[in-house]
Amino acid sequence: MLESQIIEHLRDVYDPEISINVYDLGLIYEINIDEQQNHCNIVMTLTSAFCPAADDIIADVHQAVTSVMKTCDVKVTFDPPFDPSMMSDDAKIILGFE
């Protein structure tokens, strides 16, 4: 399935300040796939609106998705804002939240 392939590649994209991948951090809000157009729209957030690595993370997400799909648009939103409750259980354990 394309979505699982995309998720697998997103798990290779890390927030350099936290060293957890963007998917398990809960930064990926939506993965919308158009199989006919071989295109994907990603809606994501960042841990902070002032994230110094924002451009690099967004570029890495784009590159990860286009390794599976022909094209990709990445939209960044802060609604809702990132909250640690969005993280996967594995990420919470690694960061000591559980």
Side-chain angles (χ1 to χ4, degrees):
M1 180 175 187
L2 286 173
E3 184 172 355
S4 62
Q5 290 176 334
I6 291 169
I7 290 169
E8 181 180 326
H9 285 270
L10 288 171
R11 283 194 163 119
D12 291 332
V13 177
Y14 285 81
D15 182 314
E17 295 182 314
I18 302 175
S19 297
I20 304 286
N21 71 71
V22 296
Y23 189 80
D24 287 324
L25 267 176
L27 301 183
I28 305 298
Y29 288 169
E30 295 178 25
I31 300 171
N32 300 305
I33 298 169
D34 181 340
E35 289 188 45
Q36 289 182 338
Q37 297 294 319
N38 199 13
H39 179 80
C40 184
N41 289 309
I42 298 289
V43 178
M44 65 174 292
T45 194
L46 299 164
T47 56
S48 165
F50 305 103
C51 176
D55 291 340
D56 292 331
I57 294 170
I58 295 165
D60 290 348
V61 165
H62 183 270
Q63 183 176 2
V65 176
T66 56
S67 68
V68 178
M69 306 296 294
K70 183 176 180 183
T71 59
C72 173
D73 291 323
V74 180
K75 178 183 174 191
V76 177
T77 184
F78 293 99
D79 184 27
F82 172 76
D83 181 273
S85 68
M86 298 171 170
M87 294 188 291
S88 71
D89 290 340
D90 289 341
K92 289 176 186 176
I93 289 169
I94 291 168
L95 293 174
F97 285 95
E98 289 195 3

